[in-house]
Amino acid sequence: GAGVSQTPSNKVTEKGKYVELRCDPISGHTALYWYRQSLGQGPEFLIYFQGTGAADDSGLPNDRFFAVRPEGSVSTLKIQRTERGDSAVYLCASSSRGDDSGNTIYFGEGSWLTVV
Amino acid sequence: AQRVTQPEKLLSVFKGAPVELKCNYSYSGSPELFWYVQYSRQRLQLLLRHISRESIKGFTADLNKGETSFHLKKPFAQEEDSAMYYCALKTGGTSYGKLTFGQGTILTVHP
């Protein structure tokens, strides 16, 4: 596609429910990133994939958060037992590689999650 | 741990006036700094990076390691510059997509 695509754009869920957020990166991009942006804050890094593997998951806040990228393209961020504090915009980004000097990452429009 | 601070949440200027968006960072190693911009109803996108020493849309930013700052400047602001601006830091040895962002500054340029 023309850019990074994220679905759903908006999701309202009840506390305690399970949620999946999907990211379709730019075709051919091997590096994929998830960020979380709470109201009034800048984006916070969650996890980075290079191909199918999670190269860096140091930003995941706890074990309720998990992400996969089984075929090295589409990624799914999974949140179990959602809490009200999980309400945020979840941003996905991709780049052609993760380690090139001067490489540019491209962001999606985000998935706005509200936990009620 | 690394940190990026943007002290101004809101900044208003008139068209044609100079503008400076402040950014300070905290990192003991060799940093790489970026400015990202988000225009209304658009995605977050890269504006410029210090390593390229470039000027984009009339904006420049110089890395000052002594003051640990990377302020964004433009001599004559335009209405189309109105947007949210984020300063971001990449630390050594990590992927170019693993960034630490500041809280952002909303710039409004009045006609």
Side-chain angles (χ1 to χ4, degrees):
Chain A
V4 177
S5 176
Q6 293 188 243
T7 55
S9 54
N10 286 284
K11 174 74 176 178
V12 179
T13 191
E14 292 180 347
K15 179 175 176 293
K17 298 289 188 184
Y18 169 81
V19 165
E20 288 190 352
L21 306 175
R22 174 189 167 107
C23 173
D24 199 342
I26 292 172
S27 179
H29 279 192
T30 58
L32 185 146
Y33 310 86
W34 284 100
Y35 280 80
R36 178 169 72 174
Q37 186 171 18
S38 301
L39 197 62
Q41 304 295 317
E44 293 178 289
F45 171 80
L46 295 177
I47 186 169
Y48 155 49
F49 286 90
Q50 184 61 257
T52 60
D56 185 339
D57 64 358
S58 61
L60 293 178
N62 52 60
D63 61 6
R64 295 187 298 104
F65 288 75
F66 190 70
V68 296
R69 195 185 184 199
E71 297 178 356
S73 179
V74 171
S75 175
T76 304
L77 179 65
K78 307 181 181 196
I79 310 174
Q80 298 178 319
R81 304 182 305 280
T82 51
E83 300 177 356
R84 293 196 179 89
D86 299 335
S87 297
V89 177
Y90 289 83
L91 294 169
C92 179
S94 71
S95 68
S96 57
R97 282 181 62 183
D99 56 359
D100 279 347
S101 177
N103 204 344
T104 298
I105 63 171
Y106 297 87
F107 282 88
E109 292 184 323
S111 291
W112 192 294
L113 175 67
T114 303
V115 182
V116 296
Chain B
Q2 63 271 17
R3 186 181 180 91
V4 175
T5 303
Q6 294 178 250
E8 304 138 329
K9 274 197 173 296
L10 301 169
L11 185 61
S12 289
V13 300
F14 285 99
K15 177 183 172 181
V19 63
E20 180 180 57
L21 289 84
K22 291 184 167 47
C23 171
N24 289 90
Y25 67 91
S26 173
Y27 176 57
S28 57
S30 181
E32 290 188 49
L33 276 298
F34 304 79
W35 276 98
Y36 278 79
V37 61
Q38 187 166 24
Y39 300 103
S40 180
R41 299 188 185 88
Q42 294 189 27
R43 305 162 188 233
L44 190 60
Q45 59 186 286
L46 177 67
L47 180 62
L48 56 79
R49 64 193 102 209
H50 95 266
I51 200 169
S52 300
R53 293 186 160 273
E54 57 201 346
S55 173
I56 303 293
K57 299 184 178 182
F59 284 98
T60 59
D62 291 318
L63 178 61
N64 185 324
K65 290 188 177 180
E67 296 183 356
T68 60
S69 69
F70 188 57
H71 303 327
L72 183 68
K73 301 177 184 180
K74 185 169 182 176
F76 307 104
Q78 303 299 314
E79 289 178 68
E80 55 264 31
D81 296 329
S82 296
M84 172 72 92
Y85 291 81
Y86 292 98
C87 183
L89 164 71
K90 172 193 172 299
T91 57
T94 62
S95 156
Y96 269 82
K98 185 178 180 181
L99 301 169
T100 299
F101 284 86
Q103 291 185 316
T105 298
I106 299 174
L107 173 65
T108 303
V109 182
H110 300 284

